[in-house]
Amino acid sequence: MAGFTDIEKNKNEDAMKLLISKLKRKLQTIFMGGGEKRIAKLHKRGKMTARERIDYLIDDDSEFFEVGAFVGYEMYKEHGGCPAGGVVTGIGYVSGRQCMIVANDATVKAGAWFPITGKKNLRAQEIAMENRLPIIYLVDSAGVYLPLQDEIFPDKEHFGRIFRNNAVMSSKGIPQISAIMGSCVAGGAYLPIMSDESLIVEGTGSIFLAGPYLVKAAIGETVDKETLGGAVTQSDISGVCDYKMPDDKTCLDTIKDLVGKMGTFENAGFNRVESKPPKLDPKELLQYFPEDRTKPYDTREVLKRIVDDSKLTEYKKDYGKTIICAYARIDGWSVGIVVNNRQIVKNAKGEMQFGGVIYSDSADKATRFILNCNQKKIPLVFIHDVTGFMVGKRSEHGGIIKDGAKMVNAVSNSTVPKFSIVIGNSYGAGNYAMCGKAYDPRLIVAWPTAKIAVMGGSQAAKVLTQIQVSSQKAKGEEVDEKAEKELYEKTKGKYDEQTQAYYAAARLWVDAIIHPDDTRNVISMGIEAANNAPVEKFNVGVIQS
């Protein structure tokens, strides 16, 4: 297949830059949390915002990978919104050590927990547990958002799971440090005290099972906030907290000191050599992803602008061509890459195969490659631009379900760390086979061009419209062409909205939406984190021949 012309490259780059500009504008709004007035109110009380605290805590000129910036995006509108889910989470370097940081944003409903806040906190803990990362909680929260308490309180993946995870991490020796830098009330009080060490800031930090109003209502006792659970009470009198801090900065400096004195774990032993930049100009990356999403393209040109020295060692290059499997290095780390090939190709039988579709031979190849990477302790990187598995009589007769099941089995049982980058489509069972969120990728991120759904909007609209028309005909009713067209457009619009990267990120189907240029850094930071945890023995289970 011929490559892009210079004009097409320019169009591709311009289209991607527009999407990136849109991404940055949305992030700027999200980073303001509850807005300027609430930020000013915090500052007046001598408090830093969640993001200011993180900026101060992490090492100068170091990377911070934020997880879930778009969580809650355009959700809870009837409750005034919930920017970033009311909590900032991510992997940052503190005293040279990678840590998971969780900071409540008190400018958003006083840091109250919405249902999506709980999900985001659990994801942060999951990342810390999988990678044995120390976790730092900067607590400043009014507790559960009461109007939605039934959606966050009692279930397995709700609020209480946070404290269960505190206990599990403690048993596994994963360090947890909590700083009470604002309110910490009711059930939320268990989080810092179930951590290994806790700090509390004088004048602003408070922790108690029930606040003054509830105490008055429950037992008739009148008591002020500081006497009930302020810094002096909970450090000097009760001994609940370990360190009493005069202000936010001293508190954060003390955390840096504590982290700097931690020991390290035995690492997993992933192979890493000196990093080399891609030989082909990484700035050209935006030119090789098509503006027209129906246009085939050579995925290798994208890869060569991401991997070290632009070097790929392809596995079974001329077999199962709709998936590319290759060994490479990213920032020096050895990786195995599984990526959908979006070219239209011809198989060994001379049959044409559509790009982005998984056929039996490509599923077989990917399965074998995944097994090999597990055998050799090589982290896996899945890059999605897939519309699903091939359908139709020929594919069914050829056993496409069985071959797809083999690939899903291998992905499910893989024990080396997996990382997923959704750059284009991620539809149907293709999402599963390429290590979607349900298959425990250590990190899963999306480019602004990503689309995640059971199927594309056009296909879904056609299917549902056909069902509706067939139902009408079965009842002997006449088919109204105008109504049919309206149903199609309405359904397509709904599906198109739900396939967008922002819709996925709002619900934590992906951890972040990233600039394509950041792909190398995200993968490298992810593998560095994963290297803290030993790899379990690989057992693939039953794979039919």
Side-chain angles (χ1 to χ4, degrees):
M1 184 196 79
F4 294 115
T5 65
D6 288 341
I7 292 175
E8 287 174 324
K9 289 178 184 178
N10 290 336
K11 286 183 177 179
N12 294 341
E13 185 172 8
D14 288 345
M16 185 68 86
K17 284 182 175 179
L18 283 173
L19 291 174
I20 292 166
S21 178
K22 181 180 178 181
L23 170 66
K24 290 179 177 178
R25 288 196 304 272
K26 290 180 184 294
L27 284 172
Q28 285 174 354
T29 301
I30 289 169
F31 290 165
M32 292 301 294
E36 292 182 0
K37 289 183 178 180
R38 290 178 182 172
I39 291 173
K41 189 175 179 180
L42 274 191
H43 288 166
K44 191 174 180 179
R45 294 181 59 197
K47 296 170 68 175
M48 303 164 75
T49 67
R51 293 183 186 279
E52 288 169 345
R53 287 166 175 166
I54 291 173
D55 286 343
Y56 186 85
L57 179 63
I58 62 175
D59 298 343
D60 294 338
D61 300 320
S62 66
E63 297 277 352
F64 178 70
F65 173 65
E66 183 166 350
V67 174
F70 280 98
V71 161
Y73 177 71
E74 294 192 338
M75 297 170 66
Y76 310 112
K77 291 180 181 179
E78 66 276 24
H79 297 277
C82 188
V87 63
V88 184
T89 61
I91 300 172
Y93 294 85
V94 179
S95 298
R97 180 79 171 263
Q98 270 190 334
C99 297
M100 171 56 71
I101 303 170
V102 179
N104 298 116
D105 186 349
T107 70
V108 180
K109 293 288 192 296
W113 289 52
F114 282 67
I116 200 68
T117 315
K119 186 174 183 179
K120 184 172 177 178
N121 275 265
L122 288 171
R123 176 59 178 151
Q125 289 185 319
E126 180 182 43
I127 291 171
M129 285 191 284
E130 287 179 331
N131 300 291
R132 292 204 304 189
L133 293 180
I135 186 165
I136 299 167
Y137 306 100
L138 306 180
V139 184
D140 195 344
S141 171
V144 167
Y145 184 63
L146 293 178
L148 297 173
Q149 64 85 27
D150 62 317
E151 298 180 40
I152 187 173
F153 172 66
D155 210 345
K156 181 179 177 181
E157 300 299 331
H158 284 178
F159 194 65
R161 189 78 172 181
I162 303 287
F163 317 130
R164 174 265 185 193
N165 287 349
N166 287 140
V168 169
M169 281 190 278
S170 180
S171 72
K172 293 183 177 181
I174 299 170
Q176 299 175 83
I177 297 175
S178 286
I180 303 159
M181 309 181 80
S183 296
C184 184
V185 64
Y190 288 107
L191 183 147
I193 309 310
M194 292 186 74
S195 299
D196 300 300
E197 293 180 287
S198 62
L199 306 86
I200 187 167
V201 178
E202 292 183 272
T204 56
S206 60
I207 178 170
F208 31 62
L209 291 181
Y213 294 118
L214 185 54
V215 168
K216 178 69 173 177
I219 63 173
E221 182 179 73
T222 300
V223 61
D224 66 83
K225 189 175 179 180
E226 280 297 311
T227 304
L228 183 64
V232 172
T233 294
Q234 300 293 26
S235 57
D236 298 359
I237 300 173
S238 71
V240 164
C241 296
D242 304 309
Y243 305 92
K244 182 174 61 178
M245 299 284 107
D247 52 47
D248 278 12
K249 287 189 176 180
T250 306
C251 181
L252 296 169
D253 285 333
T254 304
I255 292 173
K256 294 178 189 180
D257 182 64
L258 294 172
V259 172
K261 291 180 170 61
M262 290 180 182
T264 58
F265 292 114
E266 177 186 356
N267 67 38
F270 300 130
N271 185 283
R272 192 180 195 185
V273 298
E274 184 179 351
S275 175
K276 294 181 180 179
K279 185 175 290 184
L280 297 180
D281 191 353
K283 293 179 181 178
E284 296 174 349
L285 180 60
L286 307 187
Q287 299 177 4
Y288 285 89
F289 190 86
E291 175 192 18
D292 179 359
R293 296 298 297 112
T294 64
K295 184 178 175 63
Y297 65 97
D298 188 351
T299 315
R300 292 178 181 85
E301 294 300 324
V302 172
L303 292 183
K304 288 178 181 178
R305 286 158 178 82
I306 294 174
V307 303
D308 288 16
D309 206 31
S310 300
K311 184 179 179 182
L312 299 168
T313 304
E314 285 198 49
Y315 175 79
K316 293 183 181 289
K317 182 178 181 179
D318 296 318
Y319 174 72
K321 295 180 182 179
T322 65
I323 281 184
I324 297 168
C325 298
Y327 298 107
R329 290 191 182 275
I330 293 178
D331 196 25
W333 295 105
S334 170
V335 296
I337 299 174
V338 180
V339 59
N340 305 112
N341 184 7
R342 282 299 306 272
Q343 291 176 298
I344 296 174
V345 297
K346 187 182 291 186
N347 66 15
K349 298 177 182 178
E351 299 165 337
M352 300 305 296
Q353 295 183 333
F354 298 104
V357 178
I358 303 176
Y359 291 77
S360 285
D361 55 355
S362 48
D364 175 66
K365 177 171 80 171
T367 300
R368 293 168 183 265
F369 183 72
I370 291 166
L371 301 182
N372 285 348
C373 287
N374 275 272
Q375 183 74 7
K376 296 187 283 189
K377 202 191 290 187
I378 298 175
L380 283 158
V381 177
F382 294 84
I383 301 180
H384 302 216
D385 195 352
V386 58
T387 53
F389 284 86
M390 190 58 190
V391 297
K393 183 175 71 174
R394 178 180 292 181
S395 293
E396 297 295 354
H397 289 186
I400 186 67
I401 296 175
K402 179 178 67 176
D403 293 318
K406 292 179 187 178
M407 185 174 174
V408 170
N409 192 322
V411 171
S412 301
N413 287 295
S414 179
T415 56
V416 294
K418 299 166 290 191
F419 302 89
S420 286
I421 319 293
V422 186
I423 66 173
N425 302 325
S426 187
Y427 292 160
N431 172 273
Y432 300 163
M434 292 295 293
C435 195
K437 183 64 182 290
Y439 292 82
D440 298 324
R442 297 293 178 96
L443 294 173
I444 176 169
V445 299
W447 287 6
T449 44
K451 293 182 181 293
I452 301 173
V454 172
M455 62 183 74
S458 296
Q459 295 93 328
K462 286 177 183 177
V463 170
L464 291 173
T465 303
Q466 287 172 9
I467 292 172
Q468 178 76 7
V469 169
S470 297
S471 177
Q472 286 178 293
K473 287 181 177 178
K475 295 175 184 177
E477 298 174 3
E478 291 186 15
V479 177
D480 185 336
E481 291 186 6
K482 183 180 178 182
E484 181 181 339
K485 185 177 180 181
E486 288 177 354
L487 175 63
Y488 171 83
E489 292 297 337
K490 181 180 179 181
T491 306
K492 183 178 182 300
K494 180 181 179 181
Y495 265 79
D496 284 343
E497 178 186 349
Q498 292 180 352
T499 61
Q500 298 298 313
Y502 297 106
Y503 192 91
R507 290 153 182 80
L508 258 182
W509 301 348
V510 296
D511 293 316
I513 303 173
I514 66 168
H515 190 305
D517 290 351
D518 292 332
T519 304
R520 275 174 60 87
N521 287 342
V522 169
I523 295 170
S524 179
M525 281 188 72
I527 299 175
E528 181 182 348
N531 201 35
N532 289 302
V535 175
E536 296 178 10
K537 184 178 180 181
F538 179 62
N539 183 359
V540 75
V542 178
I543 291 186
Q544 295 181 341
S545 60

